[in-house]
Amino acid sequence: MTQELNSLGFAKPPAETRVIVAMSGGVDSSVVAALLHEQGYDVIGVTLQLYDHGAALAKKGACCAGRDIHDARRVAEDLGFPHYVLDYENIFKDAVIDEFADSYLAGATPVPCIRCNERVKFRDLLQTAKDLEADCMATGHYIQRIAGTTGPELHAGADPQRDQSYFLFSTTPDQLDYLRFPLGHLASKAETRALAAKYGLMVADKPDSQDICFVPDGNYAAVIEKLRPNAADPGEIVDMQGNVLGQHRGVIHYTIGQRRGLGIGGLDTPLYVVRLDPDRRQVVVGPKEALATRRVPLRELNWLGDGKLTDRAEWEVTAKVRSTRPPRPAILRPVSETEAEVELLTPEEGVSPGQACVLYQPDSSRVLGGGWIWRGH
């Protein structure tokens, strides 16, 4: 008689299935741990210490990493499963923070949360989970792993407001095989909080973190200046023909698509930041229509679709060029296994180097992969 698959997809009882739960100290990952513990799995909680707010960034009133570690440990203690804290500060600095600073200085708009998932949580922590002889690793991300005809597929979370697929496009097929996302099917955050209350979790009412973890007040420029002294050298604001319109206080203070705070008044039409040129220390501004982009070159492309990326000259996809925007119809044209050009059928404004472009199957929640936008128009 064959053993039925348990809720995590293994042909053995939950008690014989070891799960590492990546616990951030927030409500989502705490609920995952409580849910799997209640179902009888052999749960081990792991929390990563990624940075020291006090020493690294001298933040006041920041959501302290120590508080999150304390909360994760308390949840594990209250429920009665083992919990470990791993010091990943050096790995996080090398793999995420340094690149974030350098990308900003190069005029890009980086998304460090993607790099953290890719290089820290789903690479180093996942390897640790395997070293602990876990059958799988579970996280509190709002994304779905669905069995497909050729293996597990990555799908957007059921709640469009909470969907985190944009931040997880670089998950590889091997990683997807090992990962589980028990909250991805939930219709709303209210359901997660209701579960937290049901399990009596002390983090049930803890607010969601809104910012990048090491930039708690959203002030990127202050962090960059601390990490890279002299980063905020002033320079010129120029129009698209190179005429000087004013002075700026450092390229790192500006983002593509920005209109406010340029300090150049008396103009007939509003101007927007259309390009950053850190080599010349110039902020290039132009009319709104200059922001419209149709062709988006990608590199470091991670492909999760069926077959090889290069099996076709063109793929019909929907493409998401910012985490806050819906996917829009596009054509994906592979250049190699890891490079491609996306043609947006309707031009989008504010497409920025350093951001991700995430690809979905049309009329479906399936994530086909994505890549990094790497140069302007």
Side-chain angles (χ1 to χ4, degrees):
M1 178 176 149
T2 55
Q3 169 85 41
E4 275 188 38
L5 297 185
N6 61 33
S7 65
L8 293 177
F10 297 99
K12 54 185 176 179
E16 294 173 23
T17 307
R18 176 169 290 177
V19 191
I20 297 297
V21 178
M23 298 181 70
S24 66
V27 66
D28 300 325
S29 56
S30 298
V31 165
V32 167
L35 188 72
L36 296 175
H37 178 69
E38 183 195 49
Q39 290 173 4
Y41 287 99
D42 175 11
V43 171
I44 298 175
V46 174
T47 301
L48 303 182
Q49 178 162 335
L50 298 177
Y51 53 92
D52 175 346
H53 269 313
L57 306 170
K59 288 283 172 204
K60 268 190 158 176
C63 167
C64 177
R67 173 88 243 169
D68 292 334
I69 290 168
H70 170 79
D71 288 348
R73 185 180 284 134
R74 271 285 308 277
V75 166
E77 270 177 21
D78 290 350
L79 292 172
F81 59 81
H83 175 262
Y84 300 100
V85 178
L86 304 180
D87 181 353
Y88 273 41
E89 279 192 41
N90 289 340
I91 291 170
F92 187 69
K93 184 177 185 304
D94 293 345
V96 180
I97 294 183
D98 283 345
E99 186 191 82
F100 171 80
D102 294 339
S103 295
Y104 240 96
L105 294 189
T109 311
V111 192
C113 302
I114 297 175
R115 289 300 197 196
C116 181
N117 288 325
E118 174 189 315
R119 296 176 173 176
V120 180
K121 293 176 185 165
F122 290 177
R123 188 179 68 192
D124 295 299
L125 177 56
L126 194 139
Q127 187 53 53
T128 300
K130 289 182 176 178
D131 293 344
L132 291 168
E133 298 182 344
D135 294 283
C136 62
M137 184 170 97
T139 79
H141 289 108
Y142 286 88
I143 192 164
Q144 299 183 83
R145 176 189 184 276
I146 293 174
T149 51
T150 59
E153 298 173 355
L154 200 61
H155 285 252
D159 174 8
Q161 300 301 314
R162 309 294 307 177
D163 168 46
Q164 289 174 295
S165 57
Y166 182 85
F167 299 99
L168 295 167
F169 79 85
S170 62
T171 307
T172 66
D174 282 350
Q175 290 168 344
L176 188 57
D177 203 45
Y178 194 71
L179 289 162
R180 301 293 187 274
F181 309 107
L183 303 184
H185 67 286
L186 297 183
S188 72
K189 179 73 178 215
E191 286 188 47
T192 308
R193 293 209 181 270
L195 285 170
K198 173 190 158 188
Y199 295 127
L201 302 182
M202 41 83 74
V203 294
D205 297 321
K206 187 172 179 176
D208 292 341
S209 56
Q210 299 296 332
D211 295 310
I212 293 167
C213 66
F214 60 92
V215 192
D217 56 3
N219 188 352
Y220 300 167
V223 174
I224 305 299
E225 284 185 67
K226 189 152 186 69
L227 292 167
R228 300 285 186 271
N230 307 322
D233 290 340
E236 297 169 339
I237 298 176
V238 300
D239 65 17
M240 296 175 74
Q241 287 71 46
N243 302 308
V244 178
L245 303 180
Q247 302 294 310
H248 66 74
R249 56 200 178 92
V251 169
I252 60 170
H253 293 282
Y254 300 84
T255 55
I256 290 176
Q258 179 178 333
R259 180 167 77 91
R260 298 183 187 282
L262 298 179
I264 40 177
L267 300 165
D268 297 335
T269 54
L271 292 178
Y272 298 77
V273 176
V274 296
R275 197 169 70 250
L276 299 171
D277 188 338
D279 293 337
R280 296 180 179 172
R281 299 214 304 270
Q282 288 182 336
V283 173
V284 184
V285 296
K288 195 165 198 263
E289 53 268 25
L291 282 171
T293 300
R294 186 181 285 278
R295 295 185 183 278
V296 183
L298 303 183
R299 62 183 174 188
E300 288 185 67
L301 197 143
N302 180 52
W303 181 245
L304 292 169
D306 297 330
K308 281 183 160 186
L309 174 65
T310 50
D311 283 350
R312 298 188 202 170
E314 291 187 347
W315 298 81
E316 277 188 38
V317 297
T318 58
K320 188 172 181 148
V321 294
R322 286 272 170 123
S323 64
T324 50
R325 296 184 191 174
R328 303 263 170 79
I331 303 294
L332 173 69
R333 297 189 178 95
V335 175
S336 70
E337 294 290 355
T338 57
E339 288 186 301
E341 184 180 78
V342 170
E343 182 185 351
L344 303 169
L345 300 192
T346 305
E348 291 229 36
E349 293 172 358
V351 175
S352 242
Q355 293 277 309
C357 174
V358 180
L359 311 167
Y360 300 82
Q361 197 164 289
D363 303 316
S364 165
S365 60
R366 185 176 180 187
V367 182
L368 296 177
W372 296 94
I373 302 167
W374 66 284
R375 63 170 184 261
H377 307 291

